[in-house]
Amino acid sequence: MTKPSVAIIGRPNVGKSTLFNRLIGMRLAIVEDEPGVTRDRLQALCDWNGREFTLIDTGGLQPATEEELYENVEEQAKQALFEADVLVFLLDGRDGITPGDWEIADLVRKSNKPVVLAVNKLDNVHQENKAVEFFALGLGDPIPVSALNGINTGDLLDQIVALLPPKKESPSPLKQLRIAIVGRPNVGKSSLINKILGAE
């Protein structure tokens, strides 16, 4: 049976990859201080209170751009948004609400998916009141978190698990074959994977 999926979405550089790594308990996603490092969807299994789900890290959603690379990154993020069972809309508590956040909020509303609003970069309890501003987005109660320090990530996971579809009984899963495609840079590994999967 396919596990439910949870996509972390938001503008570039709000800490999506840092939160992804924190929630799965390992450093799988590349984390840098400059925006645009995450370019494709990254998935890993996450387990909280006996519920397993697939967590998806996405590239940043940003205002329209004519650069093909960023258009492709945004398309991947939007695809994750519409395929996921639950969304974690991650925002930057230091920046406050930006025009880009309002645009993403509209996408979230149109998706009709359950959403958890997480306000990141609130690195101590004295900063948590900054999350109040994000009530204005009309997407529920914002949870102040620090992906870097792990503050309130347990509360965030509680909210995520509460929104997952009900657990279904399933027969014993078949053993899956895992294949890795390896090689030097620029020999066509990603093109081959895309061709096999029939998707970008």
Side-chain angles (χ1 to χ4, degrees), residues 9-12 14 61-63 89-93 95-109 117 133-134 137 139:
I9 61 164
R11 291 184 295 107
V14 295
L61 291 162
Q62 53 192 337
F89 182 7
L90 193 64
L91 301 121
D92 188 327
D95 289 348
I97 300 177
T98 69
D101 293 329
W102 287 108
E103 290 180 27
I104 296 168
D106 286 341
L107 281 175
V108 169
R109 269 187 281 278
L117 211 58
E133 173 187 352
F134 295 87
L137 293 171
L139 293 171

Side-chain angles (χ1 to χ4, degrees), residues 62 64-77:
Q62 53 192 337
T65 174
E66 293 183 4
E67 292 185 50
E68 185 179 353
L69 173 63
Y70 292 114
E71 285 179 358
N72 291 339
V73 169
E74 182 151 5
E75 190 53 45
Q76 288 290 318

Side-chain angles (χ1 to χ4, degrees), residues 50-188:
R51 284 301 307 267
E52 285 189 339
F53 56 92
T54 302
L55 189 64
I56 306 167
D57 184 24
T58 65
L61 291 162
Q62 53 192 337
T65 174
E66 293 183 4
E67 292 185 50
E68 185 179 353
L69 173 63
Y70 292 114
E71 285 179 358
N72 291 339
V73 169
E74 182 151 5
E75 190 53 45
Q76 288 290 318
K78 284 180 178 175
Q79 191 170 342
L81 185 155
F82 288 108
E83 289 175 359
D85 295 296
V86 175
L87 304 174
V88 175
F89 182 7
L90 193 64
L91 301 121
D92 188 327
R94 295 176 189 166
D95 289 348
I97 300 177
T98 69
D101 293 329
W102 287 108
E103 290 180 27
I104 296 168
D106 286 341
L107 281 175
V108 169
R109 269 187 281 278
K110 288 174 186 170
S111 75
N112 289 319
K113 299 286 175 72
V115 61
V116 180
L117 211 58
V119 183
N120 193 26
K121 303 185 184 179
L122 302 179
D123 297 325
N124 60 61
V125 291
H126 305 297
Q127 296 177 336
E128 289 188 0
N129 61 346
K130 292 183 179 178
V132 173
E133 173 187 352
F134 295 87
F135 274 103
L137 293 171
L139 293 171
D141 297 351
I143 301 173
V145 299
S146 171
L148 189 62
N149 299 322
I151 295 171
N152 293 335
T153 51
D155 293 342
L156 176 62
L157 283 163
D158 285 343
Q159 290 280 346
I160 291 169
V161 168
L163 293 173
L164 292 176
K167 206 172 184 179
K168 294 178 184 172
E169 292 298 321
S170 62
S172 299
L174 298 172
K175 189 166 183 177
Q176 293 183 339
L177 181 65
R178 295 173 61 126
I179 299 171
I181 297 177
V182 298
R184 290 183 299 108
N186 212 28
V187 293

